[in-house]
Amino acid sequence: MNLVDSTQVNSTLLSSETASSERTLYPYVTGTSVIGIKYKDGILMAADMGASYGSTLRYKSVERLKPVGKHSLLGASGEISDFQEILRYLDELILYDNMWDDGNSLGPKEVHNYLTRVMYNRRNKFNPLWNSLILGGIKNGQKYLGMVSMIGVHFEDNHVATGFGNHLARPILRDEWNENLSFEDGVKLLEKCMRVLLYRDRSAVNKIQIAKITEEGFTTYPPYALKTFWNFSAFENPTVGAEGSW
Amino acid sequence: MGTTIIGVTYNGGVVLGADSRTSTGMYIANRASDKITQLTDNVYVCRSGSAADSQIISDYVRYYLHQHTIQLGQPATVKVAANLVRLISYNNKNMLETGLIVGGWDKYEGGKIYGIPLGGTIIEQPFAIGGSGSSYLYGFFDQAWKEGMTKDEAEQLVVKAVSLAIARDGASGGVVRTVIINEEGVTRNFYTGDKLPLWHEELEPHNSLLDILNASVPEPMST
């Protein structure tokens, strides 16, 4: 039985299924790093709410962490329009899953696999969805946290990040993550990473969203800003004695 | 070195302002840089564009002005300093990529600002803006600039403007540095994020989400 039956629409402006093949060359509106960690009760994820248009910080209230079904949480960086398209695909996936009405529901492992296939197949057609995705969830007590890149590279781990998070956050997580993080400790750890990203990632915006997924379900916390520290004496007069330097 | 730099005249002197972010690609190499550089006791320059190019021009001009001051027997004028910067920028236009704002005070003309964009044009202006963040400030200055401001009004305007640019330009950020130059001398100031106003869609900073969740009284909503 053809489970996902996509009826072909005639080539119109609404679909990109035209005779000529297209390829995505570069992204336009992009989100920056997402960080995810496993903790005692499930998965915690953090991302800022910024979407840049080149070097302009154009949109500052974009939600980049979204629930998928009952058991999963998706965070995305990269092109926002592609992320929105992925949310549509997932919507359809969950809909069909619910239509079975068999008491079973797709868990994070299955959703991660679906996303991997989608991303890899698009990559093979030279028309990638320009995103790095983090998929986390918990089902029947089993925690799962994985990542998929725009070319279909995928893996799972206890802590994952996209973009700059890989370079700035993961080293902190490798040092300080442990199996039994409480919610409070998990949040503080994520905030430590997000603060470093604020200091050192040009496309970071100071408005952060934290979301978690536990056996009970998905919770997203209201957006907030982090305090940053600038009062080092070296910052106040950096060029004393070395005029012309930076 | 994406940047926001500003120079503004007021009745008695000039106020120079800049952000403090230096980036290599998307990485912030220095989050507390000093882009307002001294040329003489009474003339400073705001640097934007290539950090290397702007630094070497400042170094040369500082060297020439030092000799000029000895020969002249009195402080160099802002106009001379600006023209030296122009000469180097113009004669090496194919190799350099830097936009500069020269500002200072001298006893003949008082406070003066000279904008020296790419190519080496020199243009005396009541106020000048430069760097990648300046794109976001043209409309703001068209509306907010006025002749004959006081020292405090001028500094407030500069701090507000740099902070607005930082809010929208990814290449600008960090702290706002200002340098005020007048007959009395030179004053350097340093404004960190918590001392700057919050703009649209920006929120009050906190130490942690846990403080918000544990707060007994709910905070006022804001977008």
Side-chain angles (χ1 to χ4, degrees):
Chain A
M1 175 182 157
N2 201 0
L3 198 55
V4 183
D5 182 33
S6 46
T7 45
Q8 289 289 341
V9 183
N10 294 336
S11 309
T12 61
L13 288 169
L14 295 174
S15 94
S16 60
E17 307 282 323
T18 55
S20 67
S21 71
E22 289 165 16
R23 36 164 76 193
T24 309
L25 291 173
Y26 33 71
Y28 290 96
V29 178
T30 54
T32 185
S33 325
V34 181
I35 325 176
I37 55 173
K38 286 186 189 168
Y39 80 109
K40 195 161 53 79
D41 306 329
I43 308 291
L44 265 173
M45 266 198 228
D48 70 26
M49 299 189 79
S52 304
Y53 186 63
S55 65
T56 307
L57 307 170
R58 190 149 179 198
Y59 305 104
K60 297 194 191 181
S61 297
V62 177
E63 282 187 20
R64 300 193 289 116
L65 303 174
K66 293 283 191 185
V68 179
K70 287 201 286 274
H71 305 285
S72 313
L73 175 51
L74 174 67
S77 68
E79 172 66 50
I80 299 295
S81 64
D82 285 348
F83 174 49
Q84 291 174 343
E85 193 70 0
I86 289 171
L87 290 174
R88 280 175 200 280
Y89 286 145
L90 289 172
D91 219 24
E92 191 181 41
L93 182 74
I94 300 296
L95 178 71
Y96 275 91
D97 185 43
N98 290 339
M99 275 159 62
W100 282 105
D101 197 22
D102 58 1
N104 193 22
S105 52
L106 290 172
K109 216 179 181 102
E110 290 83 63
V111 178
H112 184 229
N113 179 251
Y114 173 78
L115 287 172
T116 304
R117 293 298 104 216
V118 168
M119 301 301 270
Y120 183 62
N121 275 287
R122 287 288 297 255
R123 166 264 192 195
N124 285 340
K125 293 193 277 195
F126 279 92
N127 185 204
L129 289 161
W130 207 286
N131 297 109
S132 285
L133 304 169
I134 294 190
L135 195 291
I138 177 169
K139 188 173 173 205
N140 299 331
Q142 288 270 43
K143 296 188 278 255
Y144 186 90
L145 183 61
M147 205 197 87
V148 194
S149 78
M150 70 187 250
I151 53 171
V153 172
H154 61 284
F155 55 87
E156 46 159 323
D157 207 339
N158 293 321
H159 44 77
V160 289
T162 68
F164 258 77
N166 275 310
H167 301 106
L168 299 174
R170 291 199 78 194
I172 300 175
L173 295 171
R174 279 184 206 117
D175 224 19
E176 301 187 19
W177 182 89
N178 69 72
E179 195 83 58
N180 296 309
L181 283 171
S182 66
F183 172 72
E184 283 77 26
D185 289 338
V187 168
K188 284 204 211 119
L189 186 55
L190 284 177
E191 286 175 343
K192 188 173 184 178
C193 296
M194 293 306 286
R195 194 173 277 113
V196 174
L197 288 169
L198 258 182
Y199 287 143
R200 295 294 179 180
D201 178 4
R202 247 175 65 160
S203 41
V205 147
N206 195 0
K207 199 170 184 189
I208 298 191
Q209 209 185 15
I210 294 203
K212 71 170 197 237
I213 185 131
T214 59
E215 204 70 64
E216 281 81 54
F218 162 83
T219 318
T220 180
Y221 291 94
Y224 67 106
L226 278 174
K227 278 199 187 148
T228 50
F229 189 69
W230 302 88
N231 285 98
F232 295 104
S233 60
F235 283 6
E236 287 187 48
N237 280 305
T239 56
V240 163
E243 202 55 58
S245 69
W246 51 312
Chain B
M1 201 174 101
T3 297
T4 307
I5 49 173
I6 305 183
V8 146
T9 56
Y10 72 93
N11 69 357
V14 297
V15 180
L16 298 178
D19 73 303
S20 71
R21 180 173 283 187
T22 304
S23 19
T24 43
M26 293 302 267
Y27 179 66
I28 300 171
N30 188 348
R31 64 179 169 112
S33 18
D34 185 5
K35 302 178 189 180
I36 310 178
T37 301
Q38 184 184 31
L39 296 179
T40 68
D41 289 340
N42 55 316
V43 181
Y44 279 67
V45 61
C46 295
R47 304 181 287 108
S48 78
S50 157
D53 290 350
S54 63
Q55 280 172 9
I56 202 72
I57 292 180
S58 316
D59 288 349
Y60 269 114
V61 172
R62 190 180 312 115
Y63 169 67
Y64 291 140
L65 280 175
H66 187 220
Q67 296 184 330
H68 171 67
T69 305
I70 292 170
Q71 289 175 342
L72 196 62
Q74 58 185 30
T77 57
V78 189
K79 185 182 274 189
V80 166
N83 274 288
L84 282 170
V85 174
R86 175 194 67 89
L87 269 178
I88 302 179
S89 279
Y90 178 73
N91 288 323
N92 295 287
K93 63 162 74 193
N94 294 329
M95 291 185 288
L96 295 171
E97 195 193 285
T98 170
L100 302 148
I101 298 180
V102 178
W105 184 94
D106 61 54
K107 69 184 188 198
Y108 298 103
E109 306 225 61
K112 284 286 180 201
I113 293 284
Y114 293 88
I116 305 166
L118 261 52
T121 313
I122 184 165
I123 181 141
E124 202 247 293
Q125 299 170 89
F127 71 90
I129 55 179
S132 56
S134 67
S135 310
Y136 307 94
L137 298 176
Y138 284 92
F140 173 71
F141 271 93
D142 282 348
Q143 191 243 24
W145 161 259
K146 47 187 172 53
E147 201 66 54
M149 288 187 285
T150 66
K151 176 168 74 115
D152 291 330
E153 282 178 332
E155 202 196 9
Q156 283 314 309
L157 183 67
V158 167
V159 171
K160 187 174 181 183
V162 178
S163 147
L164 278 168
I166 286 176
R168 288 296 184 177
D169 180 26
S172 301
V175 301
V176 180
R177 294 194 195 278
T178 61
V179 172
I180 309 174
I181 313 171
N182 52 36
E183 188 175 13
E184 276 98 69
V186 176
T187 316
R188 259 192 180 282
N189 287 319
F190 168 75
Y191 296 89
T192 55
D194 46 295
K195 287 198 222 96
L196 301 173
L198 286 172
W199 304 117
H200 181 51
E201 291 191 303
E202 289 185 348
L203 301 172
E204 200 66 61
H206 290 92
N207 279 318
S208 169
L209 174 67
L210 303 169
D211 297 338
I212 305 171
L213 294 176
N214 294 333
S216 48
V217 181
E219 298 186 3
M221 287 257 281
S222 58
T223 34

